[in-house]
């Protein structure tokens, strides 16, 4: 079910403390066209530009984030994953990345549909609500779980559509989306690669990264 | 509203005089400028300024496009008003458009009154000033004239073309008409088409000019007079649209001008009235009324959407140009929704686009003012574009 994940490139690890971004960056072919939806302050775009020489673009909801990105020389527009993706043409990018954002969208399914239309491959990462600590927290305290990745109280979190790894897989199957690869991560260590995520990954990982495409 | 200052009654420098002050390019009868209207301008003159040094492979050229009442003196003293260049915060040594690094060209637009052929010039057909015999010009005509100048200067392509308002319309037209000549483009506080509301404001200004008895159907030059009051009123009305209600309130409030109480008359009781009158009076010293009619008309006619059958994305199909679209939160003349329209068109062709909205309460004029976030974002964009262009950073 699981197999060891190869170590991300050393040079990538050195540029950022964020292993999730390092892993995503490592998955990208050099020189490709990439759209990062919800690119924040542009850390991943900067990494991809510096190391992979990609044609990197970003969309970010917060205008402060956008302006910071542009001031760094990144091509970023203000926009909303729910509203602004339909403007892009089909298959305009080699990769579309949705990092730690899908759980904050209003319509995750429609967003994923759009991403798969725009990009040949889609990389989605999200916090796994099936992580044992999350389950334990809810069971023991009876309150909404808060973890490193889910660090805001329920009334302030933008995460309105949390899911578990199994939930996500079920959605992909229902949408006829091909899971090319999936990675699970706990803390700052990438633990495993799995082609068909099952119970164990869902239990022991606090974050999942999926590479998706439309079947040929 | 009487103007007591005799200096203000002097005519603006005639085009022939202004020409002596600046580089100009002449284009003879053999290369007429074909206009959108179908007319041709047989012989034209383009006045321009340059800053910085052209590099060996001519790859560091930046074209700055000026707005309605701007001119080519973007980063040097204005020969009539004596004021500093209108965009010295943006263009100059160490500025975002760094003249230590880039070769900056700014031309007076066709139809203008600072040396480039416009309605003040002599109509070769009659030997008299053109006046309203001058053909109606468009933004595309302005851009064609600029392209002619670049051809004459032996400059094939532009590293960057930037401008605000009407200048931004020229930027969009450049990117649509000559995509292969534009490496990067910065349209600021602008739109792909002039809105109904904006046409309405322009019409008020034009009617003010035409209502002035000294306008004489546009033939004021041969009567040695000028429609000063009409032009001043046009400027006053327009100036309000360049500001925001919030900025006006902050700057002037209901403060009285040099008095402690209302006069119960129609003098300029309020500071805002005095300010606007000053704006109007000083404007007429440096601007020609007929030029104002023609240039506002060019803005009204600007409709890039219509030029591409209502599908604005087609204007940018296949473009390789890197874009940075800029708007300001308090600009109600060219609101952020207009910038979004541009961005959506560019996204629809997966163009390389950045879009920044700058928080400012200064209204449309913010693009000309000290807006640190505009400078930092544009410096980042320009520098990144320069790296992609292979232009080394300034020493």
């Amino acid at each position: 079910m699981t197999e060891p994940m190869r170590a991300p490139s050393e040079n990538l690890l050195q540029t950022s403390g964020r292993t999730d971004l390092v892993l995503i960056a490592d998955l990208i072919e050099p020189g490709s066209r990439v759209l990062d939806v919800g690119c924040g302050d542009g850390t991943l775009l900067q990494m991809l530009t510096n190391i992979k020489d990609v044609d990197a673009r970003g969309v970010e909801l917060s205008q402060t984030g956008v302006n910071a990105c542009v001031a760094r020389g990144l091509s970023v527009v203000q926009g909303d994953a729910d509203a602004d993706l339909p403007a892009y043409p089909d298959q305009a990018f080699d990769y579309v990345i949705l990092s730690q954002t899908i759980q904050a969208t209003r319509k995750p399914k429609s967003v994923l549909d759009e991403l798969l239309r725009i990009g040949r491959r889609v990389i989605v990462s999200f916090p796994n609500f099936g992580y044992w600590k999350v389950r334990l927290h809810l069971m023991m305290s009876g309150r909404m779980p808060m973890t490193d990745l889910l660090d805001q109280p329920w009334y302030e979190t933008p995460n309105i559509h949390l899911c578990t790894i199994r939930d996500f897989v079920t959605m992909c199957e229902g949408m006829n989306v091909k899971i090319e690869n999936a990675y699970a991560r706990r803390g700052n260590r990438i633990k495993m690669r799995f082609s068909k995520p099952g119970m164990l990954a869902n239990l022991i990982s606090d974050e999942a990264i999926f590479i998706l495409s439309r079947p040929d | 509203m009487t103007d007591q200052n005799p200096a203000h009654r002097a005519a603006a420098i005639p085009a022939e005089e202004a020409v002596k002050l600046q580089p100009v390019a002449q284009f003879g009868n053999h290369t007429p400028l074909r206009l959108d209207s179908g007319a041709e301008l047989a012989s034209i003159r383009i006045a321009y300024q340059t800053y910085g040094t052209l590099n060996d492979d001519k790859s560091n050229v930046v074209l700055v496009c000026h707005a309605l009442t701007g001119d080519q003196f973007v980063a040097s003293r204005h020969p009539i008003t004596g004021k500093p260049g209108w965009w010295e915060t943006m263009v100059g040594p160490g500025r975002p458009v760094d003249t230590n690094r880039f070769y900056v060209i700014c031309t007076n637009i066709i139809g203008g009154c600072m040396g480039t052929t416009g309605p003040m010039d002599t109509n070769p057909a009659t030997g008299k000033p053109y006046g309203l015999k001058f053909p109606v010009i468009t933004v595309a005509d302005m851009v064609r004239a600029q392209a002619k100048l670049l051809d004459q200067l032996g400059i094939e392509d532009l590293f960057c073309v930037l401008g605000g308002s009407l200048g931004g319309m020229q930027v969009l037209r450049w990117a649509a008409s000559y995509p292969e000549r534009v490496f990067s483009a910065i349209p600021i506080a602008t739109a792909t088409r002039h809105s109904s509301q904006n046409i309405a404001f322009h019409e008020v200004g034009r009617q003010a000019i035409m209502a002035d008895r000294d306008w004489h159907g546009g033939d004021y030059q041969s009567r040695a007079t000028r429609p000063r009051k009409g032009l001043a009123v046009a400027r006053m009305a327009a100036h309000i649209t360049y500001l925001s209600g919030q900025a006006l309130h902050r700057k002037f409030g209901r403060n009285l001008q040099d008095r402690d109480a209302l006069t119960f008359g129609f003098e300029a009781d309020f500071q805002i009235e005095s300010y606007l009158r000053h704006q109007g009076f000083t404007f007429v010293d440096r601007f020609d009324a007929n030029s104002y009619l023609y240039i506002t008309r060019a803005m009204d006619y600007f409709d890039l959407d219509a030029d591409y059958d209502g599908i604005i994305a087609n204007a940018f199909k296949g473009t390789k140009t890197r874009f940075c679209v800029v708007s300001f939160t308090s600009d109600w003349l060219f609101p952020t929704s207009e910038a979004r329209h541009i961005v959506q068109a560019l996204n629809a062709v997966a163009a390389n686009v950045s879009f920044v909205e700058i928080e400012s309460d200064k209204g449309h004029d913010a693009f000309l003012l000290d807006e640190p976030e505009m400078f930092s974002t544009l410096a980042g964009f320009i520098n990144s574009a320069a790296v992609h262009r292979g232009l080394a950073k300034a020493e």
Side-chain angles (χ1 to χ4, degrees):
Chain A
M1 183 180 72
T2 61
E3 58 183 88
M5 166 61 198
R6 70 195 162 95
S9 315
E10 281 302 312
N11 56 351
L12 280 181
L13 272 172
Q14 283 160 7
T15 59
S16 164
R18 290 208 29 202
T19 43
D20 57 332
L21 300 186
V22 173
L23 174 60
I24 291 172
D26 210 40
L27 298 169
I28 304 280
E29 292 288 321
S32 49
R33 286 162 66 86
V34 177
L35 178 68
D36 185 1
V37 180
C39 64
D41 65 358
T43 304
L44 177 61
L45 288 174
Q46 189 80 67
M47 273 166 67
L48 291 171
T49 307
N50 293 350
I51 294 159
K52 294 291 180 94
D53 190 30
V54 301
D55 180 358
R57 321 280 179 77
V59 180
E60 168 57 30
L61 187 58
S62 127
Q63 192 63 58
T64 318
V66 173
N67 293 12
C69 287
V70 176
R72 291 168 76 166
L74 301 167
S75 300
V76 174
V77 298
Q78 197 276 336
D80 180 336
D82 278 302
D84 294 316
L85 296 178
Y88 291 88
D90 295 355
Q91 306 288 290
F93 297 93
D94 298 312
Y95 298 92
V96 182
I97 300 167
L98 193 66
S99 163
Q100 295 288 340
T101 300
I102 194 163
Q103 76 281 358
T105 62
R106 281 192 300 280
K107 296 190 167 178
K109 251 179 107 167
S110 321
V111 168
L112 192 54
D113 261 332
E114 283 298 316
L115 298 177
L116 287 157
R117 181 185 63 78
I118 297 167
R120 293 198 296 113
R121 285 199 171 80
V122 173
I123 300 178
V124 180
S125 76
F126 57 88
N128 174 27
F129 213 69
Y131 182 42
W132 68 270
K133 275 191 183 173
V134 172
R135 303 187 199 192
L136 191 67
H137 190 288
L138 181 59
M139 191 169 87
M140 299 307 285
S141 72
R143 300 182 60 188
M144 282 301 282
M146 284 174 65
T147 64
D148 290 344
L149 284 175
L150 305 169
D151 58 356
Q152 287 173 292
W154 66 272
Y155 47 83
E156 280 184 350
T157 179
N159 300 328
I160 54 174
H161 281 120
L162 288 161
C163 68
T164 70
I165 289 178
R166 292 190 69 197
D167 287 330
F168 190 80
V169 170
T170 308
M171 179 178 77
C172 289
E173 283 168 357
M175 291 172 71
N176 190 29
V177 172
K178 183 177 166 198
I179 298 174
E180 296 201 349
N181 258 317
Y183 300 89
R185 189 174 84 85
R186 189 179 67 214
N188 259 351
R189 298 186 69 84
I190 293 138
K191 274 298 167 196
M192 64 199 79
R193 184 164 80 94
F194 48 87
S195 51
K196 181 102 178 125
M199 305 288 272
L200 184 60
N202 195 25
L203 187 64
I204 67 172
S205 333
D206 64 352
E207 187 186 9
I209 299 166
F210 282 77
I211 305 171
L212 310 169
S213 64
R214 286 280 183 211
D216 296 326
Chain B
M1 198 176 73
T2 51
D3 188 356
Q4 301 301 324
N5 185 344
H8 287 178
R9 298 208 189 103
I13 293 181
E16 293 75 13
E17 290 295 312
V19 164
K20 292 174 190 163
L21 302 174
Q22 61 215 340
V24 290
Q26 292 281 356
F27 300 88
N29 292 333
H30 55 289
T31 54
L33 183 69
R34 286 179 225 290
L35 304 173
D36 276 350
S37 66
E40 281 186 356
L41 274 176
S43 136
I44 61 165
R45 185 183 62 239
I46 298 173
Y48 64 101
Q49 291 286 301
T50 68
Y51 308 89
T53 310
L54 185 62
N55 64 6
D56 290 340
D57 58 358
K58 299 182 178 179
S59 62
N60 68 336
V61 181
V62 175
L63 179 70
V64 177
C65 300
H66 71 71
L68 167 56
T69 65
D71 49 50
Q72 64 273 41
F73 297 99
V74 56
S76 50
R77 196 161 289 281
H78 194 280
I80 295 177
T81 65
K83 287 184 177 170
W86 55 269
W87 222 8
E88 290 199 356
T89 48
M90 182 69 82
V91 180
R95 301 294 186 187
V97 179
D98 189 348
T99 49
N100 291 330
R101 194 176 184 190
F102 305 116
Y103 181 63
V104 178
I105 302 175
C106 186
T107 80
N108 186 212
I109 54 178
I110 202 88
C113 51
M114 279 301 290
T116 294
T117 302
M120 281 171 81
D121 278 277
T122 304
N123 181 352
T126 63
K128 290 181 188 166
Y130 273 110
L132 289 200
K133 294 282 195 311
F134 195 74
V136 166
I137 39 114
T138 65
V139 172
D141 295 333
M142 296 170 186
V143 167
R144 271 186 209 110
Q146 288 160 349
K148 264 173 102 79
L149 173 68
L150 294 184
D151 291 344
Q152 195 183 75
L153 297 176
I155 292 166
E156 274 178 30
D157 52 11
L158 298 166
F159 160 64
C160 184
V161 51
L162 77 160
S165 200
L166 167 62
M169 291 176 172
Q170 294 166 62
V171 171
L172 293 172
R173 190 69 252 185
W174 259 104
S177 294
Y178 305 101
E180 72 290 348
R181 296 184 80 166
V182 180
F183 187 78
S184 63
I186 309 175
I188 305 172
T190 192
T192 59
R193 65 264 192 269
H194 216 214
S195 71
S196 181
Q197 179 175 262
N198 290 0
I199 295 170
F201 281 118
H202 276 172
E203 176 61 2
V204 170
R206 285 190 295 262
Q207 288 301 326
I209 290 167
M210 293 176 178
D212 189 324
R213 277 205 281 179
D214 286 336
W215 182 60
H216 295 293
D219 190 28
Y220 48 87
Q221 271 170 285
S222 42
R223 294 159 201 255
T225 178
R226 301 174 68 215
R228 305 183 56 83
K229 287 181 183 173
L231 182 59
V233 171
R235 175 64 170 179
M236 288 167 74
H239 198 76
I240 300 167
T241 70
Y242 303 152
L243 308 172
S244 72
Q246 201 186 347
L248 282 179
H249 182 74
R250 175 169 48 75
K251 204 167 170 183
F252 304 107
R254 291 182 51 82
N255 298 341
L256 300 182
Q257 177 70 28
D258 303 330
R259 65 203 66 192
D260 301 322
L262 301 175
T263 61
F264 291 89
F266 295 96
E267 291 299 308
D269 276 359
F270 295 99
Q271 279 182 7
I272 178 62
E273 294 174 289
S274 170
Y275 169 79
L276 276 184
R277 290 181 188 191
H278 175 77
Q279 289 294 327
F281 285 141
T282 52
F283 178 62
V284 298
D285 293 333
R286 67 175 181 89
F287 217 83
D288 173 57
N290 284 338
S291 265
Y292 195 87
L293 300 181
Y294 278 91
I295 299 170
T296 54
R297 205 68 184 140
M299 291 178 77
D300 295 351
Y301 279 11
F302 188 65
D303 187 346
L304 207 54
D305 297 55
D307 292 348
Y308 291 86
D309 301 324
I311 303 168
I312 181 65
N314 287 344
F316 306 113
K317 213 169 191 170
T319 185
K320 291 196 174 71
T321 304
R322 304 170 74 88
F323 289 85
C324 186
V325 181
V326 182
S327 71
F328 298 89
T329 50
S330 57
D331 183 352
W332 53 278
L333 201 61
F334 292 92
T336 291
S337 55
E338 298 284 10
R340 282 189 196 289
H341 183 67
I342 302 170
V343 172
Q344 276 160 10
L346 292 166
N347 279 343
V349 294
N352 191 317
V353 53
S354 295
F355 163 45
V356 291
E357 183 189 37
I358 307 293
E359 179 89 32
S360 166
D361 77 346
K362 299 196 181 84
H364 182 59
D365 260 356
F367 84 89
L368 296 167
L369 302 173
D370 182 24
E371 292 287 350
E373 200 169 8
M374 171 175 68
F375 301 139
S376 66
T377 50
L378 288 186
F381 172 79
I382 291 167
N383 188 52
S384 168
V387 169
H388 280 89
R389 174 79 166 182
L391 292 170
K393 203 162 169 70
E395 293 300 314

